[in-house]
Amino acid sequence: MTLAIEGATLDGETVGLRIEDGRIAALGSTVAAAPGDERLDGAGTAIVPGLVNGHTHAAMTLFRGYADDLPLMEWLERHIWPVEAKLDDDDVYWGTRLACVEMIRTGTVRFWDMYWQPGAVARAVGDAGIRATIGPPLLDGCDPARADELKRAAGDGLDEIAAHGGPLTAPSLAPHAIYTVSPRSLEWIAAESERLGIPVQIHASETEREVDDCVAAHGVRPIELLDRVGLLGPRTLLAHAVWIEEGERELIAASGATVVTNPVANMKLAVGRIFDLPAAQRHGLPVGLGTDGAGSNNSLDLLADAKHLALGQKHLAADAAASPAAETLAIAAGARAPLLGSTPVEAGRPADLLLVRTDGHQLGIGSLEAGLVYASSGSVVDTTIVAGRVLMRDGVVAGEAEIVERARAQGRRLGLLGG
Ligand SMILES: [Zn+2]
């Protein structure tokens, strides 16, 4: 089946676009639907690349609005971890499906996930039709005696992803953080990543306390510790990297690791600093954008977070030219970090793209990039296509009502439903 989009604009020009076998087969002003094509009318819309959410915990949609307005460690230790200990496959499956609905609605075509029951995540991702790199959180409580437990969890998690994943899912190793995983286990994870050729995603330098505790325990800062255990490399994704210094930026740059900034979650959890994007760019660091989980954001709308990224950078640098709109949008699409897997709208590339409404009240006058970053949110997304499959058309995602109801039922089971 060939899908043809006619009448949409790309870079200001009206174009046609044909999709065959999940890829963009033809694109240009003279491209039109052929007999037998399924035709999609793009009038009143613009084609833009799909967005990449570089860091989230998708099933935490179940925790949305639960235990808000608390500091990170109190939030995690007293509220999130006790409920997470009760999670089963159905909780994670329906929580992830709910997250996928929100991401599809708001233009995300690929996400990086760190969460429990990775087999359930893989099933949910496959059923939703979105792309994801999945990894179960690995923790040993910094207790070397629990290292075998961590290794088992890693092996079992990868087996589950292989058993339940499909062409749109990819595995990863996801050590939670340096304050929950021992250096010896981090060394093992680095070796496993190398052996298996799969990425590693880890929370790093999110809070000042993490840095102070690391220096007290190990005599080095978190990024230096990751370098020491061999975990910095081109397959490594560092979520946050808020509390980093110049020397740590140099280490990240030399290693080729990617930083994913999560400005909304950082501000909501009041980590006390903002990731310094211009400094990262001076070092040539690959940078992506993430929402973090809906427990700490509470939204998965990456366009809304792109605005926070841009505004935070301008404010921090006292420079209105910091993080300009087109650059911010490129970061949100994963185009500034090869590891994240962006998909430019070009012939021959995977057909992961959006149609955004330019005939509504938010877009259509002035620069499209400025409109997307500063004036709108994910609500301007009309159509979301991943691997050539239409996951949303005219703002409708198939099965949404049932997914919302089933996720609510799981939230009720866990005692998470508010009044
Ligand atoms: Zn996180």
Side-chain angles (χ1 to χ4, degrees):
M1 168 69 78
T2 301
L3 176 68
I5 301 171
E6 289 183 331
T9 61
L10 178 66
D11 301 327
E13 182 189 10
T14 301
V15 297
L17 186 151
R18 295 183 77 235
I19 298 170
E20 286 176 7
D21 299 327
R23 291 186 172 269
I24 300 173
L27 171 65
S29 56
T30 59
V31 174
D37 285 358
E38 182 187 341
R39 187 179 170 280
L40 200 152
D41 183 4
T45 70
I47 301 170
V48 294
L51 308 177
V52 178
N53 189 343
H55 177 67
T56 191
H57 314 275
M60 291 191 82
T61 49
L62 298 180
F63 292 84
R64 197 190 324 255
Y66 172 71
D68 289 277
D69 310 323
L70 295 170
L72 173 65
M73 291 320 294
E74 183 183 343
W75 175 75
L76 271 180
E77 289 169 355
R78 293 204 205 149
H79 300 277
I80 300 300
W81 286 344
V83 182
E84 284 189 337
K86 297 189 276 184
L87 288 173
D88 68 17
D89 271 14
D90 281 348
D91 298 324
V92 172
Y93 177 85
W94 290 107
T96 305
R97 286 299 303 269
L98 183 60
C100 290
V101 166
E102 182 173 0
M103 287 192 270
I104 290 164
R105 294 194 74 81
T106 53
T108 289
V109 298
R110 180 193 291 268
F111 66 99
W112 285 65
D113 194 67
M114 178 195 288
Y115 213 59
W116 310 105
Q117 274 90 8
V121 177
R123 275 195 296 121
V125 166
D127 291 347
I130 197 170
R131 296 185 195 267
T133 301
I134 298 166
L138 302 176
L139 303 88
D140 64 10
C142 293
D143 176 0
R146 290 178 55 196
D148 286 345
E149 190 186 317
L150 178 145
K151 291 176 187 174
R152 254 196 321 277
D156 291 350
L158 293 177
D159 286 348
E160 277 187 47
I161 295 167
H164 298 285
L168 302 181
T169 53
S172 70
L173 294 164
H176 173 263
I178 55 143
Y179 56 89
T180 45
V181 186
S182 62
R184 186 172 290 184
S185 286
L186 291 172
E187 280 175 8
W188 179 82
I189 290 164
E192 278 296 278
S193 162
E194 177 80 30
R195 184 176 74 82
L196 300 169
I198 60 174
V200 175
Q201 35 179 338
I202 183 168
H203 296 110
S205 298
E206 182 174 5
T207 64
E208 188 174 25
R209 178 180 152 187
E210 176 184 338
V211 177
D212 291 346
D213 289 355
C214 184
V215 170
H218 306 290
V220 291
R221 298 173 63 87
I223 302 300
E224 294 167 331
L225 180 67
L226 290 174
D227 183 48
R228 184 192 280 179
V229 298
L231 209 58
L232 283 187
R235 281 191 299 269
T236 303
L237 186 161
L238 305 166
H240 302 304
V242 174
W243 286 86
I244 59 172
E245 304 297 351
E246 202 60 3
E248 293 174 284
R249 279 184 206 103
E250 286 166 10
L251 283 176
I252 298 170
S255 75
T258 291
V259 173
V260 171
T261 180
N262 302 269
V264 171
N266 291 157
M267 282 191 271
K268 183 161 183 274
L269 291 170
V271 304
R273 250 203 210 182
I274 289 175
F275 167 70
D276 190 336
L277 178 63
Q281 289 171 326
R282 275 198 297 280
H283 287 276
L285 301 191
V287 174
L289 177 64
T291 57
D292 216 336
S296 63
N297 184 302
N298 299 357
S299 146
L300 303 176
D301 182 342
L302 211 57
L303 277 179
D305 288 19
K307 178 170 182 173
H308 283 88
L309 170 63
L311 299 194
Q313 296 304 323
K314 294 172 195 304
H315 188 67
L316 174 73
D319 177 6
S323 202
E327 184 62 20
T328 304
L329 198 60
I331 290 171
R336 294 295 179 263
L339 178 69
L340 295 181
S342 69
T343 38
V345 181
E346 294 166 2
R349 300 282 193 160
D352 297 352
L353 52 93
L354 316 174
L355 300 182
V356 296
R357 291 236 71 94
T358 51
D359 56 0
H361 70 282
Q362 288 163 307
L363 301 177
I365 301 174
S367 150
L368 178 64
E369 287 88 357
L372 286 169
V373 174
Y374 302 130
S376 62
S377 64
S379 64
V380 296
V381 179
D382 175 272
T383 298
T384 300
I385 297 174
V386 178
R389 247 185 88 198
V390 179
L391 303 183
M392 178 170 77
R393 175 69 182 138
D394 294 330
V396 176
V397 179
E400 178 172 341
E402 188 205 346
I403 292 164
V404 170
E405 187 43 51
R406 296 293 294 264
R408 281 209 183 114
Q410 301 306 134
R412 202 173 298 124
R413 187 191 90 78
L414 293 165
L416 294 171
L417 246 55

